[in-house]
Amino acid sequence: MIIHVVGGFLGSGKTTLLIKIAERYIADGKKVTILVNEAGEIGVDGASISSNGLNAIQLQEGCICCTLSGTLQSTMRDIERELDPDVVIIEPTGLALPHKVRELIRGTVSEDEINTIGICDAMRFDRLREKKEDFLRMQLQRSDVLWINKIDAVDFEKVFEVSTWLRSICPNVPIFMVSGKTGEGLEEAFSKSLLL
Ligand SMILES: Nc1nc2c(ncn2[C@@H]2O[C@H](COP(=O)(O)OP(=O)(O)OP(=O)(O)O)[C@@H](O)[C@H]2O)c(=O)[nH]1
Ligand SMILES: [Mg+2]
């Protein structure tokens, strides 16, 4: 069982990209479970996702890296026992630390089956960096792979600036440039980061 943790700040494109990742696996005939830590709206998404043949589970009212940590662990065990998917894709909230999620699920599968994808929003990079640079760094720092998202909405200079910053905080982590909206860059990012 492969587990992807799709982390990144609020609105960076986690859900959009998570659905693309799931669709890619489904096209390969894999069984996928999505675990989203979010209240509200996604319920509608969750329903439409399930109708496409995957399981979507929502954990609300708390954060899976802190207040819901026990729930995360028991849910992972339930998923493995009852659904037994090939792939689990987890979306923590935009305020969670993905590496904490990683720590919590380590007991479920072996370490090399967990992949943390850090999503960085190129469109709002300047504003976020100005206000939340330390948090962004903490959130993305221990990613296994980094995806710069929303490249459709910015010029190349901005993408370069974002990748230079990411390179400075994560010197050895592969970086991919993608658009969840247009699909640009996704195949490349998938082939190098999804353990397909
Ligand atoms: N232009 C552009 N917009 C995008 C892209 N990916 C996502 N968006 C938009 O960005 C907004 C946030 O996308 P989500 O996928 O909901 O982001 P999220 O990280 O799941 O958000 P939260 O769960 O609220 O933290 C939505 O309006 C998306 O349509 C992209 O590649 N380009
Ligand atoms: Mg989301």
Side-chain angles (χ1 to χ4, degrees):
M1 192 165 86
I2 294 168
I3 304 180
H4 296 291
V5 180
V6 181
F9 198 68
L10 297 165
S12 56
K14 298 179 294 298
T15 305
T16 307
L17 292 166
L18 167 150
I19 290 167
K20 303 275 183 201
I21 295 170
E23 285 172 350
R24 178 67 175 75
Y25 275 116
I26 299 283
D28 262 10
K30 301 277 195 268
K31 210 169 135 186
V32 180
T33 297
I34 288 171
L35 178 58
V36 179
N37 184 198
E38 198 168 71
E41 245 175 282
I42 183 74
V44 180
D45 277 11
S48 66
I49 291 167
S50 292
S51 69
N52 285 335
L54 33 155
N55 294 101
I57 297 172
Q58 230 179 313
L59 293 179
Q60 304 184 17
E61 287 157 34
C63 170
I64 54 170
C65 84
C66 38
T67 56
L68 289 182
S69 59
T71 309
L72 170 65
Q73 290 170 318
S74 61
T75 304
M76 288 304 295
R77 283 193 292 271
D78 291 347
I79 288 172
E80 189 167 34
R81 195 175 51 232
E82 288 162 29
L83 301 170
D84 191 28
D86 302 299
V87 184
V88 181
I89 313 170
I90 303 177
E91 178 186 346
T93 72
L95 296 174
L97 296 175
H99 61 260
K100 280 199 181 175
V101 175
R102 181 191 194 105
E103 292 296 307
L104 288 164
I105 58 177
R106 273 166 97 163
T108 315
V109 294
S110 72
E111 182 75 10
D112 59 1
E113 288 173 301
I114 308 174
N115 182 45
T116 309
I117 304 174
I119 310 295
C120 187
D121 186 337
M123 204 164 105
R124 292 185 307 156
F125 179 69
D126 292 341
R127 199 149 36 99
L128 285 176
R129 187 181 177 184
E130 191 186 319
K131 296 202 173 127
K132 312 234 178 269
E133 183 164 12
D134 288 345
F135 180 77
L136 284 188
R137 184 184 295 120
M138 245 190 342
Q139 194 175 44
L140 296 173
Q141 213 157 35
R142 291 191 234 168
S143 303
D144 294 306
V145 62
L146 292 160
W147 292 6
I148 300 173
N149 189 33
K150 308 193 187 179
I151 58 166
D152 62 281
V154 296
D155 56 23
F156 185 75
E157 280 70 32
K158 184 56 62 192
V159 177
F160 186 73
E161 193 188 320
V162 179
S163 72
T164 304
W165 180 77
L166 287 172
R167 180 66 58 234
S168 75
I169 62 165
C170 309
N172 300 311
V173 178
I175 298 174
F176 296 94
M177 290 132 194
V178 304
S179 166
K181 186 176 178 181
T182 67
E184 194 182 345
L186 284 182
E187 244 339 288
E188 168 84 4
F190 287 173
S191 68
K192 304 272 166 51
S193 29
L194 290 194
L195 321 167
L196 286 165

